[in-house]
Amino acid sequence: MRLGRVPRKVRLHLPDMLALTGDPLTPPGTETVGTINVALADPADARAFAADVNTRTPGVFAGRAIRPGSNGTFVVLERFHLAIAIVTIVAATVFLLALSIMLVDERRGTVGVLRLIGLPSRRILLQVLLEGLLIAGAGAAFGLALAFVSEGLINRFFQWRYDTALVFVAVTSRVAALCVAIAVPLGAAAIVTASWALLRRGALRLARR
Amino acid sequence: MRAPLAFAWRSLVRQPARAALAILGVAAVGALLLDMLLLSEGLVLSMRELLDRMGFDIRVTAVEALPGSGPDLTDAPAAAAAIAALPGVRAVRTIRSEGVELWTDTVHSGGIFLGVGGEPAQLWTILRGRDLAAGPELVISEYAADLLHLEPGDTVTVRASCDGGPEAPPPATFRVAGIVELPFDTPDAVTAGTTLASLEAACGVTGGIADFLAVASTGDADAAAARIRAARPDLRVFTNDEMIGLVQQGGFTYFRQISTVLTAVTVSFALLLITVLLTVSVNQRLAEVAALRALGFSRRRVVLDVLCESALIIGLGGALSLPLGLLLASWLDTILKRMPAIPAQIHFFVLEPQALAAHAALLAATALVAAVYPMQIVARLPIAATLRNEVIS
């Protein structure tokens, strides 16, 4: 049987497990364990407690456990992926801004005419914001759909590669919400920023008259 | 070629904001791409460099496992003597590691006790103090020295817990000869090193057991390894290259695969965005292109202009991505090196010419492919109709 091949888990009370797996020739109370986990009333005392145990009980080594949020393998990998995500967001933002500038520039004539017929800059900006929200929302939805599809592909590949049932990529509702929360305001902000630079110019100049 | 390049440059300079943003975007994507290329082989290259630096090119173990991770060699002195007598073998070291408790008057800690047999036994780099001399002496890692407040010349009490020895051997007193850097030590490892004889004395056992033998050949590692295999077919013999192969079969492949996935995503991302940027840019300049064609610019020339614009954006962004990528690699390396049990001298990102060549080739291919669709638009542009539409609009 390979570890993780079948995703099933059974939890037992320790006495029940010892009854199932223990050697009947071993006298009760002399079984060995690999590790004893200790929860302290004050976690800040961990170092002093470990030093005390080490001094009192030769042959036993006590040490501070890795705390959640510390430097465990998965925590480090999470930080690594977060760092890559940040770089990707920066790159995407820069591209988005470039694209927004081009798209807004393309409509400078239309915006100039709207200004000339009396629409205030704020009204046009609101329209641009709504348009940006719609586009960013549609883009985020497409991105999520792509993520759901690639989630299955990536998991299948790594499960095949490592012969395991472990899940490598999980698009949870929290992750999806975070992506939407970043993507939609970012997309809308890029379009509004690009438009704001354009709207500061005079209406006649925009309409090229 | 210079004229289209100069023309493309003028097109970029005419729209400085959008050009600068496009170049910055390529720089960010290029930096990530470079890092993924460095990551794909970084760990293996770093491991190889570390193995080579130790001065041994062959490891001998009891089974086909990485040294220290399998069962012990049970007749290490005899095996070491037999191997040392073979032609092509310059030196043999016997390496044994056991658990240890170290304490001073005020501090106590568990750690690893390393015993090295053979002369000279320099597996470590001396940072302060000196190497081992006669008598019960040990060298300790920098972290252990800090934790136990030890300096060269101090004494420390040691209780080793060894395979095949008594469960609780009596404590022994050792003098700290030096503070050292061990090649595969983790940053928070409490490691002490001594001679094999001193370790066995602390364990209360006589010689015989070792984790592995480290062998230095006279130059041809493969030939020396073949001779060792012939002399001791019961043992497993690995050259440094074979050790790297074993490492690659292990869990380190995760980083290669994640880098492959991210390289593909990054290149696709760059391709898509440059294509969109160029397409929008070309669509905004259709009238201008048509006018140039009407003035006598050939179809090939205007197509070449678009290609040059793509090459300039990606070329400038790519050049900028090199320093950015190296900075980013340094940051990501710091993050990944916090993983438990990663030796301090191992790096996940290692700069090598092959990665730079792959980076340049991928960016060049991206520039070419991204320009295909906008080039098609320009090549098929109807001159008269476009100019007429421009006048009417």
Side-chain angles (χ1 to χ4, degrees), chain B residues 233-288:
Chain B
D234 56 320
L235 301 178
R236 297 290 174 272
V237 182
F238 302 100
T239 60
N240 283 359
D241 286 342
E242 289 163 342
M243 285 272 295
I244 294 296
L246 268 185
V247 168
Q248 282 177 316
Q249 284 170 21
F252 286 176
T253 52
Y254 174 77
F255 289 105
R256 178 175 290 183
Q257 283 153 9
I258 201 80
S259 86
T260 306
V261 171
L262 285 173
T263 299
V265 170
T266 310
V267 170
S268 311
F269 183 62
L271 183 66
L272 189 71
L273 288 169
I274 296 292
T275 305
V276 172
L277 282 178
L278 281 176
T279 305
V280 174
S281 172
V282 161
N283 277 333
Q284 285 181 349
R285 291 187 290 139
L286 286 181
E288 181 187 312

Side-chain angles (χ1 to χ4, degrees), chain B residues 2-43:
Chain B
R2 282 180 65 183
L5 258 180
F7 194 80
W9 173 253
R10 279 198 290 273
S11 296
L12 286 181
V13 171
R14 203 176 57 174
Q15 305 280 357
R18 74 168 68 161
L21 286 170
I23 289 165
L24 277 178
V26 172
V29 171
L32 195 55
L33 176 64
L34 177 67
D35 287 354
M36 290 308 111
L37 291 169
L38 298 184
L39 178 66
S40 67
E41 288 291 326
L43 211 49

Side-chain angles (χ1 to χ4, degrees), chain A residues 32-61:
Chain A
T32 58
V33 292
T35 310
I36 298 174
N37 294 320
V38 180
L40 297 179
D42 182 2
D45 293 338
R47 190 181 286 271
F49 178 81
D52 195 28
V53 170
N54 286 329
T55 309
R56 287 165 188 254
T57 49
V60 169
F61 175 66

Side-chain angles (χ1 to χ4, degrees), chain A residues 71-82:
Chain A
N71 288 335
T73 302
F74 290 109
V75 175
V76 172
L77 282 180
E78 193 180 329
R79 281 185 205 149
F80 171 66
H81 292 156
L82 181 67

